[in-house]
Protein backbone atom coordinates (compact mmCIF):
# COMPACT_ATOMS: atom_id res chain seq x y z
CA UNK A 1 0.00 0.00 0.00
CA UNK A 2 1.20 3.56 -0.54
CA UNK A 3 3.11 4.88 2.43
CA UNK A 4 5.13 7.85 3.55
CA UNK A 5 8.88 7.45 3.48
CA UNK A 6 12.19 8.53 2.07
CA UNK A 7 12.08 8.59 -1.73
CA UNK A 8 14.66 6.04 -2.86
CA UNK A 9 15.05 6.04 -6.66
CA UNK A 10 16.05 2.67 -8.03
CA UNK A 11 19.82 2.33 -8.01
CA UNK A 12 20.31 5.82 -6.64
CA UNK A 13 20.93 7.63 -3.36
CA UNK A 14 18.32 9.20 -1.05
CA UNK A 15 16.60 12.25 -2.48
CA UNK A 16 16.50 14.99 0.15
CA UNK A 17 14.29 18.10 0.27
CA UNK A 18 17.28 20.44 0.43
CA UNK A 19 15.16 23.56 0.87
CA UNK A 20 13.88 22.25 4.20
CA UNK A 21 17.32 21.39 5.67
CA UNK A 22 18.83 23.51 8.40
CA UNK A 23 21.06 26.20 6.85
CA UNK A 24 24.11 25.18 8.88
CA UNK A 25 23.76 21.55 7.79
CA UNK A 26 23.28 22.50 4.16
CA UNK A 27 26.34 24.76 4.34
CA UNK A 28 28.39 21.98 5.91
CA UNK A 29 27.39 19.45 3.27
CA UNK A 30 28.19 21.92 0.48
CA UNK A 31 31.59 22.75 1.97
CA UNK A 32 32.43 19.11 2.62
CA UNK A 33 31.40 18.08 -0.90
CA UNK A 34 33.60 20.75 -2.47
CA UNK A 35 36.90 19.14 -1.39
CA UNK A 36 36.52 16.27 -3.85
CA UNK A 37 36.16 12.47 -3.72
CA UNK A 38 36.85 10.69 -0.44
CA UNK A 39 37.57 7.09 0.34
CA UNK A 40 37.05 5.82 3.86
CA UNK A 41 37.08 2.25 5.11
CA UNK A 42 36.81 0.88 1.60
CA UNK A 43 33.75 2.94 0.58
CA UNK A 44 33.81 5.66 -2.04
CA UNK A 45 31.72 8.82 -2.01
CA UNK A 46 31.76 11.42 -4.78
CA UNK A 47 30.37 14.96 -4.45
CA UNK A 48 27.88 14.28 -7.25
CA UNK A 49 25.71 12.30 -4.82
CA UNK A 50 23.04 14.24 -2.87
CA UNK A 51 24.19 12.74 0.45
CA UNK A 52 27.32 10.81 1.54
CA UNK A 53 25.64 7.44 1.17
CA UNK A 54 28.49 5.30 2.52
CA UNK A 55 28.29 7.21 5.79
CA UNK A 56 24.55 6.94 6.32
CA UNK A 57 22.16 4.07 5.97
CA UNK A 58 18.71 5.37 6.73
CA UNK A 59 16.75 2.69 8.53
CA UNK A 60 13.36 2.20 6.84
CA UNK A 61 10.73 -0.41 6.33
CA UNK A 62 10.21 -1.80 2.82
CA UNK A 63 8.89 0.94 0.59
CA UNK A 64 6.05 0.41 -1.84
CA UNK A 65 4.96 3.98 -2.00
CA UNK A 66 2.77 5.97 -4.31
CA UNK A 67 4.22 5.99 -7.80
CA UNK A 68 2.54 9.11 -9.13
CA UNK A 69 1.82 11.91 -6.69
CA UNK A 70 1.82 15.14 -8.70
CA UNK A 71 3.29 18.22 -7.10
CA UNK A 72 4.34 21.66 -8.18
CA UNK A 73 8.00 20.74 -8.20
CA UNK A 74 8.39 17.02 -8.78
CA UNK A 75 7.34 14.27 -11.12
CA UNK A 76 6.83 10.57 -10.61
CA UNK A 77 8.37 9.12 -7.45
CA UNK A 78 10.10 5.74 -7.60
CA UNK A 79 11.27 3.68 -4.69
CA UNK A 80 13.30 0.60 -3.89
CA UNK A 81 13.44 -1.66 -0.88
CA UNK A 82 17.22 -2.00 -0.96
CA UNK A 83 18.77 -1.74 2.52
CA UNK A 84 22.21 -2.19 4.01
CA UNK A 85 23.07 -3.84 7.32
CA UNK A 86 25.02 -1.45 9.54
CA UNK A 87 26.64 -2.71 12.68
CA UNK A 88 25.72 0.11 15.09
CA UNK A 89 22.69 2.28 15.75
CA UNK A 90 22.77 5.84 17.01
CA UNK A 91 19.66 7.70 18.15
CA UNK A 92 19.57 11.45 17.67
CA UNK A 93 17.26 13.30 20.08
CA UNK A 94 15.86 16.81 19.78
CA UNK A 95 12.87 18.90 20.73
CA UNK A 96 10.65 17.48 17.96
CA UNK A 97 11.54 13.89 18.83
CA UNK A 98 11.60 11.91 15.60
CA UNK A 99 13.77 9.60 13.51
CA UNK A 100 16.30 6.81 13.76
CA UNK A 101 19.56 6.95 11.81
CA UNK A 102 21.99 4.08 11.42
CA UNK A 103 25.70 4.76 11.10
CA UNK A 104 27.87 2.28 9.20
CA UNK A 105 30.89 0.51 10.54
CA UNK A 106 33.19 3.49 9.82
CA UNK A 107 31.81 5.48 12.73
CA UNK A 108 32.33 3.04 15.60
CA UNK A 109 35.98 2.89 14.54
CA UNK A 110 36.21 6.64 14.16
CA UNK A 111 34.61 7.61 17.45
CA UNK A 112 35.66 4.80 19.71
CA UNK A 113 39.24 4.13 18.58
CA UNK A 114 41.50 7.00 19.54
CA UNK A 115 44.58 5.73 17.68
CA UNK A 116 42.58 5.24 14.51
CA UNK A 117 41.04 8.69 14.85
CA UNK A 118 44.42 10.32 15.28
CA UNK A 119 45.93 8.44 12.36
CA UNK A 120 43.07 9.43 10.07
CA UNK A 121 43.17 13.09 11.09
CA UNK A 122 46.91 13.25 10.79
CA UNK A 123 46.74 11.78 7.31
CA UNK A 124 44.16 14.26 6.15
CA UNK A 125 44.91 17.72 4.97
CA UNK A 126 43.76 20.61 7.16
CA UNK A 127 40.88 21.29 4.76
CA UNK A 128 39.71 17.67 4.84
CA UNK A 129 39.76 17.54 8.64
CA UNK A 130 37.99 20.83 9.13
CA UNK A 131 35.37 19.94 6.53
CA UNK A 132 34.67 16.54 8.06
CA UNK A 133 34.36 17.87 11.60
CA UNK A 134 32.03 20.67 10.49
CA UNK A 135 29.85 18.21 8.62
CA UNK A 136 29.64 15.81 11.57
CA UNK A 137 28.92 18.59 14.04
CA UNK A 138 26.14 20.01 11.91
CA UNK A 139 24.71 16.55 11.25
CA UNK A 140 24.51 15.41 14.86
CA UNK A 141 23.16 18.71 16.13
CA UNK A 142 20.44 19.00 13.50
CA UNK A 143 16.80 18.54 14.59
CA UNK A 144 15.83 14.91 14.72
CA UNK A 145 13.51 13.96 11.87
CA UNK A 146 11.79 10.86 10.59
CA UNK A 147 13.03 9.44 7.33
CA UNK A 148 11.39 6.07 7.89
CA UNK A 149 8.56 4.77 5.73
CA UNK A 150 5.28 4.70 7.60
CA UNK A 151 2.84 1.90 6.88
CA UNK A 152 -0.69 3.14 7.38
CA UNK A 153 -2.89 0.74 9.32
CA UNK A 154 -6.06 0.56 11.35
CA UNK A 155 -5.53 0.77 15.10
CA UNK A 156 -2.25 2.62 14.69
CA UNK A 157 -2.68 4.42 18.03
CA UNK A 158 -4.19 1.47 19.93
CA UNK A 159 -1.18 1.32 22.25
CA UNK A 160 0.30 4.82 22.14
CA UNK A 161 -2.99 6.76 22.36
CA UNK A 162 -5.99 4.41 22.56
CA UNK A 163 -8.44 7.25 23.21
CA UNK A 164 -7.42 9.29 20.13
CA UNK A 165 -10.34 8.40 17.85
CA UNK A 166 -12.88 8.80 20.65
CA UNK A 167 -11.56 12.25 21.54
CA UNK A 168 -11.68 13.40 17.92
CA UNK A 169 -15.25 12.17 17.51
CA UNK A 170 -16.34 13.98 20.65
CA UNK A 171 -14.83 17.21 19.31
CA UNK A 172 -16.60 16.80 15.94
CA UNK A 173 -19.91 16.00 17.62
CA UNK A 174 -19.65 19.11 19.80
CA UNK A 175 -18.81 21.31 16.80
CA UNK A 176 -21.71 19.95 14.75
CA UNK A 177 -24.11 20.53 17.63
CA UNK A 178 -23.09 24.20 17.58
CA UNK A 179 -23.16 24.49 13.80
CA UNK A 180 -24.34 21.55 11.66
CA UNK A 181 -22.49 22.91 8.62
CA UNK A 182 -19.13 22.38 10.33
CA UNK A 183 -19.34 18.65 9.63
CA UNK A 184 -19.24 19.21 5.88
CA UNK A 185 -16.50 21.81 6.28
CA UNK A 186 -14.31 19.39 8.23
CA UNK A 187 -14.90 16.62 5.69
CA UNK A 188 -13.74 18.91 2.85
CA UNK A 189 -10.39 19.40 4.59
CA UNK A 190 -9.30 15.85 3.79
CA UNK A 191 -9.86 16.32 0.06
CA UNK A 192 -8.05 19.67 0.00
CA UNK A 193 -5.19 18.27 2.08
CA UNK A 194 -4.63 14.92 0.39
CA UNK A 195 -4.68 16.13 -3.21
CA UNK A 196 -1.86 18.62 -2.58
CA UNK A 197 1.33 16.61 -2.06
CA UNK A 198 -0.42 13.90 -0.07
CA UNK A 199 -2.29 13.69 3.24
CA UNK A 200 0.21 15.58 5.40
CA UNK A 201 -1.76 18.29 7.22
CA UNK A 202 -0.19 21.01 5.07
CA UNK A 203 -3.57 22.64 4.47
CA UNK A 204 -3.74 23.47 8.19
CA UNK A 205 -0.53 25.55 8.29
CA UNK A 206 -0.87 29.31 8.68
CA UNK A 207 1.23 31.62 6.54
CA UNK A 208 4.60 32.77 7.84
CA UNK A 209 6.91 35.60 6.75
CA UNK A 210 8.76 33.10 4.56
CA UNK A 211 5.90 30.83 3.41
CA UNK A 212 2.54 31.43 1.75
CA UNK A 213 0.50 28.37 2.60
CA UNK A 214 -2.53 26.69 1.08
CA UNK A 215 -5.20 28.62 2.94
CA UNK A 216 -4.86 31.48 0.45
CA UNK A 217 -5.03 29.23 -2.61
CA UNK A 218 -7.77 30.01 -5.13
CA UNK A 219 -9.87 27.00 -4.22
CA UNK A 220 -9.50 27.61 -0.47
CA UNK A 221 -9.59 31.34 0.27
CA UNK A 222 -12.90 32.41 1.79
CA UNK A 223 -14.06 28.84 1.24
CA UNK A 224 -12.29 26.34 3.48
CA UNK A 225 -13.41 26.72 7.07
CA UNK A 226 -13.71 25.01 10.48
CA UNK A 227 -9.96 24.95 11.07
CA UNK A 228 -10.79 25.74 14.69
CA UNK A 229 -12.63 22.41 14.95
CA UNK A 230 -9.41 20.58 14.10
CA UNK A 231 -7.64 22.77 16.66
CA UNK A 232 -10.15 21.64 19.31
CA UNK A 233 -9.72 17.98 18.44
CA UNK A 234 -5.93 18.33 18.47
CA UNK A 235 -5.98 20.07 21.87
CA UNK A 236 -8.07 17.27 23.36
CA UNK A 237 -5.72 14.61 22.02
CA UNK A 238 -2.56 16.50 23.03
CA UNK A 239 -3.86 16.84 26.58
CA UNK A 240 -4.08 13.06 26.89
CA UNK A 241 -1.30 11.93 24.52
CA UNK A 242 1.15 14.77 23.86
CA UNK A 243 3.28 14.51 20.75
CA UNK A 244 1.77 11.25 19.50
CA UNK A 245 -1.11 11.85 17.06
CA UNK A 246 -0.46 13.81 13.87
CA UNK A 247 -2.70 16.58 12.61
CA UNK A 248 -2.86 14.79 9.26
CA UNK A 249 -4.39 11.76 10.97
CA UNK A 250 -6.82 13.95 12.90
CA UNK A 251 -8.10 15.38 9.61
CA UNK A 252 -8.73 11.86 8.30
CA UNK A 253 -10.46 10.74 11.51
CA UNK A 254 -12.55 13.92 11.61
CA UNK A 255 -13.70 13.51 8.00
CA UNK A 256 -14.91 9.99 8.74
CA UNK A 257 -16.69 11.15 11.88
CA UNK A 258 -18.38 14.06 10.11
CA UNK A 259 -19.87 11.63 7.58
CA UNK A 260 -20.99 9.13 10.21
CA UNK A 261 -22.52 11.78 12.46
CA UNK A 262 -24.48 13.11 9.46
CA UNK A 263 -26.14 9.74 8.82
CA UNK A 264 -23.54 8.34 6.43
CA UNK A 265 -21.45 5.18 6.59
CA UNK A 266 -18.87 4.20 9.21
CA UNK A 267 -15.47 2.79 8.30
CA UNK A 268 -12.14 1.98 9.90
CA UNK A 269 -9.54 4.62 9.14
CA UNK A 270 -5.93 3.75 8.37
CA UNK A 271 -3.55 5.94 10.36
CA UNK A 272 0.15 6.63 10.89
CA UNK A 273 0.76 9.81 8.86
CA UNK A 274 3.20 12.56 9.69
CA UNK A 275 2.73 16.31 9.42
CA UNK A 276 4.51 18.31 6.75
CA UNK A 277 7.04 21.02 7.52
CA UNK A 278 5.88 23.25 4.66
CA UNK A 279 2.78 24.20 2.68
CA UNK A 280 2.50 25.60 -0.84
CA UNK A 281 -0.12 27.92 -2.27
CA UNK A 282 1.42 27.31 -5.70
CA UNK A 283 0.98 23.55 -5.45
CA UNK A 284 -2.64 23.94 -4.37
CA UNK A 285 -3.42 26.36 -7.19
CA UNK A 286 -1.87 23.96 -9.69
CA UNK A 287 -3.84 20.90 -8.58
CA UNK A 288 -7.17 21.78 -6.97
CA UNK A 289 -10.11 21.95 -9.41
CA UNK A 290 -12.29 24.98 -10.00
CA UNK A 291 -16.05 24.95 -9.26
CA UNK A 292 -16.34 25.52 -13.03
CA UNK A 293 -14.46 22.30 -13.90
CA UNK A 294 -16.11 19.94 -16.37
CA UNK A 295 -16.35 16.16 -16.17
CA UNK A 296 -13.51 15.55 -18.62
CA UNK A 297 -11.08 17.68 -16.61
CA UNK A 298 -12.14 16.02 -13.37
CA UNK A 299 -11.64 12.53 -14.78
CA UNK A 300 -8.14 13.53 -15.89
CA UNK A 301 -7.32 15.04 -12.48
CA UNK A 302 -8.40 11.97 -10.54
CA UNK A 303 -6.53 9.69 -12.92
CA UNK A 304 -3.30 11.50 -11.97
CA UNK A 305 -3.79 10.05 -8.48
CA UNK A 306 -4.76 6.58 -9.69
CA UNK A 307 -8.36 7.27 -8.67
CA UNK A 308 -11.10 5.86 -10.90
CA UNK A 309 -14.25 7.36 -12.39
CA UNK A 310 -16.22 5.62 -9.64
CA UNK A 311 -13.93 7.23 -7.04
CA UNK A 312 -14.54 10.62 -8.68
CA UNK A 313 -18.33 10.34 -8.65
CA UNK A 314 -18.49 8.78 -5.19
CA UNK A 315 -16.20 11.39 -3.62
CA UNK A 316 -18.15 14.16 -5.33
CA UNK A 317 -21.03 12.77 -3.29
CA UNK A 318 -19.41 14.43 -0.28
CA UNK A 319 -21.51 17.38 -1.45
CA UNK A 320 -24.45 15.48 -0.04
CA UNK A 321 -23.84 17.67 3.00
CA UNK A 322 -22.84 21.31 3.24
CA UNK A 323 -23.39 24.60 1.48
CA UNK A 324 -21.84 26.48 -1.40
CA UNK A 325 -21.32 30.19 -2.02
CA UNK A 326 -23.10 32.30 -4.61
CA UNK A 327 -19.65 33.34 -5.81
CA UNK A 328 -19.19 29.81 -7.14
CA UNK A 329 -22.37 29.73 -9.26
CA UNK A 330 -23.12 33.23 -10.56
CA UNK A 331 -21.51 32.37 -13.89
CA UNK A 332 -23.90 29.43 -14.25
CA UNK A 333 -26.87 31.70 -13.61
CA UNK A 334 -25.95 34.62 -15.83
CA UNK A 335 -23.01 33.87 -18.14
CA UNK A 336 -22.38 30.17 -18.66
CA UNK A 337 -19.32 29.65 -20.89
CA UNK A 338 -19.34 33.35 -21.81
CA UNK A 339 -22.72 33.15 -23.56
CA UNK A 340 -24.43 35.77 -21.42
CA UNK A 341 -27.09 33.18 -20.69
CA UNK A 342 -27.72 30.68 -17.85
CA UNK A 343 -26.56 27.09 -17.93
CA UNK A 344 -29.02 25.13 -20.07
CA UNK A 345 -28.34 22.02 -17.98
CA UNK A 346 -30.37 23.43 -15.09
CA UNK A 347 -33.97 22.83 -14.13
CA UNK A 348 -35.89 26.13 -14.75
CA UNK A 349 -37.62 26.08 -11.37
CA UNK A 350 -34.35 25.43 -9.60
CA UNK A 351 -32.70 28.25 -11.54
CA UNK A 352 -35.40 30.69 -10.39
CA UNK A 353 -34.73 29.64 -6.80
CA UNK A 354 -31.01 30.27 -7.23
CA UNK A 355 -31.65 33.59 -9.00
CA UNK A 356 -33.47 34.78 -5.90
CA UNK A 357 -30.69 33.53 -3.62
CA UNK A 358 -27.84 34.87 -5.77
CA UNK A 359 -28.94 37.95 -7.73
CA UNK A 360 -26.50 39.44 -10.21
CA UNK A 361 -24.27 41.85 -8.31
CA UNK A 362 -25.36 40.43 -4.96
CA UNK A 363 -23.29 39.20 -2.02
CA UNK A 364 -21.08 36.39 -3.27
CA UNK A 365 -20.68 34.97 0.23
CA UNK A 366 -24.36 34.06 0.64
CA UNK A 367 -24.68 30.28 0.77
CA UNK A 368 -27.17 27.67 -0.37
CA UNK A 369 -27.48 23.93 0.17
CA UNK A 370 -25.42 21.72 -2.13
CA UNK A 371 -28.39 19.40 -2.36
CA UNK A 372 -31.96 19.26 -1.07
CA UNK A 373 -30.88 17.68 2.27
CA UNK A 374 -27.68 19.58 3.13
CA UNK A 375 -27.39 18.29 6.72
CA UNK A 376 -28.03 14.61 5.94
CA UNK A 377 -25.49 12.37 4.23
CA UNK A 378 -27.55 10.40 1.71
CA UNK A 379 -27.93 9.90 -2.04
CA UNK A 380 -30.21 12.89 -2.55
CA UNK A 381 -27.25 14.65 -4.19
CA UNK A 382 -27.35 12.19 -7.09
CA UNK A 383 -31.12 12.36 -7.39
CA UNK A 384 -30.75 16.14 -7.73
CA UNK A 385 -28.16 15.78 -10.50
CA UNK A 386 -30.49 13.52 -12.48
CA UNK A 387 -33.20 16.17 -12.08
CA UNK A 388 -30.74 18.90 -13.27
CA UNK A 389 -30.70 20.49 -9.83
CA UNK A 390 -26.99 20.37 -9.08
CA UNK A 391 -25.67 23.45 -7.28
CA UNK A 392 -22.11 23.55 -8.63
CA UNK A 393 -21.11 23.22 -12.26
CA UNK A 394 -18.51 20.64 -11.21
CA UNK A 395 -21.37 18.57 -9.78
CA UNK A 396 -23.94 18.86 -12.57
CA UNK A 397 -21.30 18.14 -15.21
CA UNK A 398 -21.00 14.58 -13.88
CA UNK A 399 -24.45 13.92 -15.28
CA UNK A 400 -24.84 16.50 -18.02
CA UNK A 401 -21.27 17.04 -19.20
CA UNK A 402 -21.25 14.50 -21.99
CA UNK A 403 -19.16 11.85 -20.21
CA UNK A 404 -21.09 8.58 -20.37
CA UNK A 405 -18.87 6.97 -17.72
CA UNK A 406 -19.74 9.50 -15.01
CA UNK A 407 -23.39 9.74 -16.04
CA UNK A 408 -23.90 6.02 -15.61
CA UNK A 409 -22.39 6.05 -12.12
CA UNK A 410 -24.54 9.05 -11.11
CA UNK A 411 -27.67 7.22 -12.27
CA UNK A 412 -26.70 4.07 -10.35
CA UNK A 413 -26.01 5.95 -7.13
CA UNK A 414 -29.29 7.87 -7.46
CA UNK A 415 -31.11 4.54 -7.37
CA UNK A 416 -28.92 2.68 -4.86
CA UNK A 417 -27.79 4.48 -1.71
CA UNK A 418 -25.97 1.36 -0.47
CA UNK A 419 -23.83 1.28 -3.61
CA UNK A 420 -22.98 4.95 -3.11
CA UNK A 421 -22.01 4.43 0.53
CA UNK A 422 -19.75 1.48 -0.31
CA UNK A 423 -18.04 3.35 -3.14
CA UNK A 424 -17.66 6.47 -1.01
CA UNK A 425 -15.90 4.55 1.76
CA UNK A 426 -13.55 2.94 -0.75
CA UNK A 427 -12.84 6.33 -2.33
CA UNK A 428 -12.07 7.96 1.02
CA UNK A 429 -9.68 5.15 1.92
CA UNK A 430 -7.97 5.35 -1.48
CA UNK A 431 -7.63 9.12 -1.21
CA UNK A 432 -6.24 8.75 2.30
CA UNK A 433 -3.43 6.59 0.93
CA UNK A 434 -1.95 9.50 -1.05
CA UNK A 435 1.31 10.19 0.76
CA UNK A 436 4.12 12.68 0.35
CA UNK A 437 7.72 11.48 0.30
CA UNK A 438 8.97 14.46 2.28
CA UNK A 439 10.17 14.17 5.86
CA UNK A 440 7.66 15.09 8.55
CA UNK A 441 6.95 15.48 12.23
CA UNK A 442 4.12 15.27 14.77
CA UNK A 443 3.04 18.90 15.21
CA UNK A 444 2.07 20.10 18.66
CA UNK A 445 -0.03 22.87 17.09
CA UNK A 446 -1.64 22.07 13.75
CA UNK A 447 -1.19 25.65 12.50
CA UNK A 448 2.60 25.87 12.90
CA UNK A 449 5.60 23.57 12.63
CA UNK A 450 7.34 22.65 15.85
CA UNK A 451 10.18 24.68 17.33
CA UNK A 452 13.22 23.17 15.67
CA UNK A 453 15.94 24.26 18.11
CA UNK A 454 17.97 21.06 18.56
CA UNK A 455 19.38 19.19 21.48
CA UNK A 456 21.59 16.15 21.03
CA UNK A 457 21.53 12.95 23.07
CA UNK A 458 23.36 9.83 21.94
CA UNK A 459 22.85 6.22 22.93
CA UNK A 460 24.70 3.40 21.22
CA UNK A 461 24.25 -0.34 21.39
Amino acid sequence: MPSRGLDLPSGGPPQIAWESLDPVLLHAITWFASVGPHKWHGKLWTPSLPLPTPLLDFHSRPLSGLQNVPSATSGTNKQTDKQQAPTKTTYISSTNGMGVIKIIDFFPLFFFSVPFTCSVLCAMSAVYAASLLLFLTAFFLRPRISLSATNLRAGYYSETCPSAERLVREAIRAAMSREPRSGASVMRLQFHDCFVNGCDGSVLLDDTPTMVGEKLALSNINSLRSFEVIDEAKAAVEKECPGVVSCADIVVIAARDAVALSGGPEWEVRLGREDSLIASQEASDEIMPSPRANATALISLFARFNLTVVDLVALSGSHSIGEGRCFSIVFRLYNQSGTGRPDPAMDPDYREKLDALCPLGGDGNVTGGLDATPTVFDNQYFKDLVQLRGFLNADQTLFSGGETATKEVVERFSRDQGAFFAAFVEGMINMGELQTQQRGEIRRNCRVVNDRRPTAVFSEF
Side-chain angles (χ1 to χ4, degrees):
M1 299 296 291
S3 61
R4 174 190 294 273
L6 183 65
D7 188 15
L8 298 177
S10 177
Q15 304 299 300
I16 302 300
W18 296 108
E19 69 279 2
S20 61
L21 288 180
D22 304 307
V24 64
L25 177 58
L26 184 59
H27 179 71
I29 293 173
T30 304
W31 184 12
F32 189 54
S34 68
V35 301
H38 305 274
K39 188 172 184 179
W40 293 313
H41 208 48
K43 299 183 184 287
L44 179 67
W45 170 57
T46 62
S48 62
L49 298 180
L51 201 63
T53 51
L55 300 184
L56 305 178
D57 172 30
F58 290 100
H59 173 55
S60 65
R61 302 170 186 162
L63 297 175
S64 56
L66 187 65
Q67 297 300 307
N68 185 23
V69 179
S71 72
T73 58
S74 64
T76 300
N77 293 324
K78 299 180 180 177
Q79 296 118 353
T80 179
D81 293 341
K82 184 177 180 181
Q83 297 186 26
Q84 298 178 358
T87 60
K88 300 290 182 179
T89 301
T90 299
Y91 289 83
I92 311 298
S93 176
S94 79
T95 54
N96 63 333
M98 303 169 61
V100 177
I101 299 175
K102 289 189 175 181
I103 311 302
I104 70 165
D105 50 358
F106 169 78
F107 280 97
L109 292 174
F110 185 87
F111 285 112
F112 302 109
S113 173
V114 174
F116 178 77
T117 302
C118 292
S119 65
V120 170
L121 291 178
C122 291
M124 286 181 171
S125 68
V127 174
Y128 275 39
S131 300
L132 176 61
L133 292 175
L134 178 59
F135 171 80
L136 294 175
T137 300
F139 179 83
F140 284 115
L141 292 181
R142 67 189 292 234
R144 184 180 174 198
I145 59 174
S146 173
L147 295 176
S148 298
T150 300
N151 295 317
L152 303 181
R153 58 182 173 85
Y156 184 84
Y157 299 109
S158 59
E159 295 183 2
T160 55
C161 190
S163 60
E165 293 189 43
R166 173 182 59 80
L167 293 171
V168 173
R169 176 158 294 204
E170 289 175 356
I172 302 306
R173 181 181 287 111
M176 292 176 63
S177 68
R178 296 192 304 266
E179 183 193 16
R181 184 186 173 194
S182 64
S185 301
V186 165
M187 180 178 58
R188 286 187 66 206
L189 290 174
Q190 180 177 343
F191 175 66
H192 286 248
D193 186 36
C194 293
F195 263 45
V196 182
N197 295 322
C199 310
D200 60 1
S202 60
V203 74
L204 306 175
L205 287 173
D206 288 340
D207 292 354
T208 71
T210 59
M211 181 195 76
V212 179
E214 296 163 28
K215 291 181 179 179
L216 294 181
L218 294 176
S219 61
N220 299 340
I221 189 170
N222 297 325
S223 179
L224 279 190
R225 57 196 301 277
S226 294
F227 293 103
E228 72 283 354
V229 177
I230 301 298
D231 293 338
E232 293 166 3
K234 175 64 170 176
V237 172
E238 282 292 299
K239 183 176 181 181
E240 191 149 331
C241 313
V244 174
V245 182
S246 69
C247 300
D249 276 346
I250 288 176
V251 168
V252 171
I253 298 169
R256 185 271 312 272
D257 292 345
V259 172
L261 294 172
S262 299
E266 289 266 13
W267 66 93
E268 207 167 27
V269 289
R270 292 164 52 79
L271 305 172
R273 298 165 187 81
E274 294 173 350
D275 298 320
S276 68
L277 304 179
I278 59 173
S280 171
Q281 178 185 351
E282 180 182 0
S284 183
D285 285 339
E286 177 185 319
I287 292 172
M288 294 306 297
S290 162
R292 304 186 184 197
N294 59 40
T296 303
L298 292 172
I299 290 172
S300 177
L301 171 64
F302 274 63
R304 293 173 64 186
F305 298 93
N306 296 321
L307 296 173
T308 67
V309 169
V310 175
D311 289 329
L312 162 62
V313 177
L315 290 174
S316 296
S318 64
H319 289 169
S320 171
I321 55 176
E323 300 179 2
R325 295 187 300 154
C326 288
F327 173 82
S328 299
I329 64 168
V330 288
F331 71 96
R332 290 192 69 203
L333 298 176
Y334 306 106
N335 191 28
Q336 177 75 331
S337 302
T339 63
R341 300 179 61 82
D343 183 0
M346 187 183 296
D347 175 72
D349 292 338
Y350 184 60
R351 186 176 68 243
E352 288 184 11
K353 177 182 176 180
L354 293 183
D355 285 344
L357 179 70
C358 307
L360 187 63
D363 184 355
N365 289 317
V366 171
T367 61
L370 292 173
D371 76 353
T373 57
T375 61
V376 179
F377 195 95
D378 54 20
N379 69 335
Q380 182 63 47
Y381 165 85
F382 297 103
K383 295 177 181 179
D384 288 350
L385 297 186
V386 172
Q387 297 169 4
L388 305 184
R389 299 173 69 88
F391 188 83
L392 298 175
N393 189 81
D395 292 333
Q396 190 60 56
T397 187
L398 298 175
F399 181 78
S400 310
E403 289 286 349
T404 302
T406 59
K407 183 177 182 179
E408 290 177 350
V409 180
V410 169
E411 290 176 331
R412 175 157 59 92
F413 289 166
S414 72
R415 298 188 302 266
D416 189 343
Q417 180 168 281
F420 162 50
F421 280 8
F424 181 81
V425 169
E426 183 175 353
M428 290 292 281
I429 293 172
N430 290 341
M431 181 171 62
E433 298 291 323
L434 301 176
Q435 295 300 300
T436 180
Q437 299 304 314
Q438 302 296 324
R439 69 183 192 178
E441 65 179 9
I442 306 299
R443 288 186 215 134
R444 292 184 291 271
N445 179 339
C446 291
R447 294 174 180 263
V448 296
V449 298
N450 294 339
D451 181 2
R452 306 197 63 76
R453 290 174 297 179
T455 59
V457 178
F458 304 95
S459 64
E460 193 271 345
F461 57 89

